[in-house]
Amino acid sequence: MNTLSENIYVVVMAGGVGSRFWPFSRNNHPKQFHDVLGIGESLIQSTVKRFSTVCPTENIYVVTNREYKSLVNTHLPELAPDQILKEPVGRNTAPCIAYACFKIAQKNPNALVIVAPADHVILREQAFLKCVRQGVAAAGKENILVTIGIKPSRPDTGYGYIQYVPDGAKAVQKVQTFREKPSLELAQAFLESGDFVWNAGIFIWNVQAIIGAFKEHLTDLAELFESGSAVYYTADEEVFINTVYEQSRNVSIDYGIMEKAQNVYVILGDLGWSDVGTWNSLYSVAHKTLEGNVVDGNTLLYNTQNCIIKTPQDKLVLIQGLHNYIVAEHDNVLMICERKNEQQVKDFVSDVKANKGAMYV
């Protein structure tokens, strides 16, 4: 293994619940620990496997809620205890990334760090690895913050967008601005302009560049996590982190750093990517039958088209006459919902919690 790969580290963010993917994604078993695509491995297993040719296994870190430690151990038994970073409470992506990067810097001040969510689907893995290699090469030469932007295939209002300055001669393009989730009209304009990409939330930087960015833009978080330099990789780390998270504010890396920093670049990717944040986003990337159905379960279907059906293998499910529906059963919940109304799933979760109890969410 070459010396460059020894300096590459991967941080997998695995702390979220993903409530829009209810009833599969639950508080006690979030979607990153499910085999969402029906391929025999969970999303977090697929994510870690994706990086198996990028860096040694011992350089892969998972940041998760401490409640999910046993799930991480079950899905990724190859990780040592020091590679599982346990958050006592969710504080968004900036504290999560600060924790991982300040800890890695303590071990290897020359580290090149790739940050990726645990619950995304990437169908074109070789294209993704090419983007990663380009980002690592760029971040190894300069103190820049690199993100991977997804070429949009539709005017989607569920994603943030990145506008870049086109320069066809370079693999990395200068970022002009980050834009929050737009209206449909604005998303259409972004698509037509040709210089906007979806923000996938995948980052690459050398560890000194991101620490410098924290010190400039999120000074409070930099001071908190830098103060733990002496306790990382020791028995005192967990107590320190529990204290620090009580003092950390809730802020995303996009809002806290990426939207403000002047040294942000993007690599354009056509990766077959989805954040699998909703049922329809899973439908868009999953294999479909001739009738347009996405099916994972033991089913018999009659006059049923363009549905997404995910049900237990040990239960026969017979469906007749459904068109454009979501049928999802997991554990003690069955949900049947029109696909066009999938945005109501979050409301369903709130109503269920209020009226039926936390055991269902």
Side-chain angles (χ1 to χ4, degrees), residues 211-230:
I211 285 175
F214 270 103
K215 288 181 176 180
E216 181 177 355
H217 303 290
L218 290 173
T219 309
D220 54 334
L221 292 185
E223 290 176 353
L224 283 172
F225 287 96
E226 191 170 43
S227 69
S229 296

Side-chain angles (χ1 to χ4, degrees), residues 222-293:
E223 290 176 353
L224 283 172
F225 287 96
E226 191 170 43
S227 69
S229 296
V231 301
Y232 294 131
Y233 302 98
T234 75
D236 297 324
E237 179 178 330
E238 188 169 346
V239 172
F240 166 77
I241 287 299
N242 290 345
T243 303
V244 161
Y245 266 74
E246 289 294 323
Q247 302 170 56
S248 295
R249 56 189 166 116
N250 188 313
V251 58
S252 72
I253 196 74
D254 286 335
Y255 178 78
I257 289 179
M258 303 301 283
E259 293 178 12
K260 298 176 173 64
Q262 299 301 306
N263 59 335
V264 180
Y265 289 78
V266 65
I267 294 174
L268 313 184
D270 185 7
L271 311 176
W273 170 88
S274 173
D275 68 350
V276 204
T278 63
W279 285 103
N280 276 330
S281 65
L282 174 58
Y283 182 87
S284 70
V285 297
H287 172 76
K288 299 170 187 64
T289 67
L290 290 174
E291 294 78 23
N293 297 311

Side-chain angles (χ1 to χ4, degrees), residues 68 73 77 94 106 114 123 169 174 186 201 206 243 277 295 297 324 326 354:
Y68 305 144
N73 285 333
Q106 181 63 22
I114 304 158
L123 300 179
K174 184 79 170 70
L186 201 53
N206 72 64
T243 303
V295 183
N324 297 297
I326 302 162

Side-chain angles (χ1 to χ4, degrees), residues 94 105 109 118 135 184 208 241 267 271 276 294 304 323 331 338:
L184 184 60
Q208 300 306 327
I241 287 299
I267 294 174
L271 311 176
V276 204
V294 171
T304 293
H323 307 280
D331 197 6
E338 290 181 283

Side-chain angles (χ1 to χ4, degrees), residues 96-153:
C96 156
I97 289 170
Y99 177 15
C101 288
F102 276 94
K103 176 170 177 167
I104 290 168
Q106 181 63 22
K107 174 174 276 193
N108 186 345
N110 299 313
L112 292 155
V113 181
I114 304 158
V115 179
D119 53 0
H120 290 189
V121 168
I122 293 172
L123 300 179
R124 301 188 189 100
E125 297 216 345
Q126 291 308 308
F128 172 73
L129 292 173
K130 180 181 177 182
C131 289
V132 167
R133 286 192 292 268
Q134 290 171 332
V136 166
K141 294 174 185 171
E142 297 180 79
N143 281 345
I144 58 175
L145 310 177
V146 180
T147 185
I148 294 179
I150 308 299
K151 293 178 181 176
S153 57

Side-chain angles (χ1 to χ4, degrees), residues 153-359:
S153 57
R154 60 188 182 276
D156 200 301
T157 59
Y159 298 138
Y161 285 72
I162 300 169
Q163 185 179 24
Y164 64 95
V165 182
D167 183 349
K170 296 181 179 178
V172 294
Q173 315 280 322
K174 184 79 170 70
V175 167
Q176 186 167 319
T177 183
F178 282 74
R179 301 294 294 264
E180 293 296 317
K181 297 173 183 177
S183 65
L184 184 60
E185 185 179 20
L186 201 53
Q188 185 66 50
F190 289 172
L191 192 67
E192 291 169 0
S193 76
D195 59 356
F196 282 85
V197 288
W198 289 334
N199 180 8
I202 301 169
F203 309 104
I204 305 167
W205 41 55
N206 72 64
V207 76
Q208 300 306 327
I210 191 61
I211 285 175
F214 270 103
K215 288 181 176 180
E216 181 177 355
H217 303 290
L218 290 173
T219 309
D220 54 334
L221 292 185
E223 290 176 353
L224 283 172
F225 287 96
E226 191 170 43
S227 69
S229 296
V231 301
Y232 294 131
Y233 302 98
T234 75
D236 297 324
E237 179 178 330
E238 188 169 346
V239 172
F240 166 77
I241 287 299
N242 290 345
T243 303
V244 161
Y245 266 74
E246 289 294 323
Q247 302 170 56
S248 295
R249 56 189 166 116
N250 188 313
V251 58
S252 72
I253 196 74
D254 286 335
Y255 178 78
I257 289 179
M258 303 301 283
E259 293 178 12
K260 298 176 173 64
Q262 299 301 306
N263 59 335
V264 180
Y265 289 78
V266 65
I267 294 174
L268 313 184
D270 185 7
L271 311 176
W273 170 88
S274 173
D275 68 350
V276 204
T278 63
W279 285 103
N280 276 330
S281 65
L282 174 58
Y283 182 87
S284 70
V285 297
H287 172 76
K288 299 170 187 64
T289 67
L290 290 174
E291 294 78 23
N293 297 311
V294 171
V295 183
D296 181 10
N298 183 11
T299 63
L300 284 172
L301 307 180
Y302 304 88
N303 186 27
T304 293
Q305 289 96 32
N306 303 321
C307 291
I308 180 164
I309 300 158
K310 197 165 174 61
T311 55
Q313 293 290 343
D314 61 358
K315 179 181 290 188
L316 174 63
V317 177
L318 190 149
I319 297 173
Q320 189 277 331
L322 282 188
H323 307 280
N324 297 297
Y325 266 79
I326 302 162
V327 179
E329 181 178 356
H330 181 67
D331 197 6
N332 52 5
V333 176
L334 167 66
M335 181 187 75
I336 303 170
C337 169
E338 290 181 283
R339 280 180 51 206
K340 68 180 181 181
N341 293 324
E342 68 157 5
Q343 294 300 324
Q344 286 185 254
V345 170
K346 274 201 161 185
D347 299 329
F348 298 160
V349 173
S350 297
D351 291 345
V352 166
K353 188 174 182 180
N355 298 311
K356 298 294 183 180
M359 64 182 289

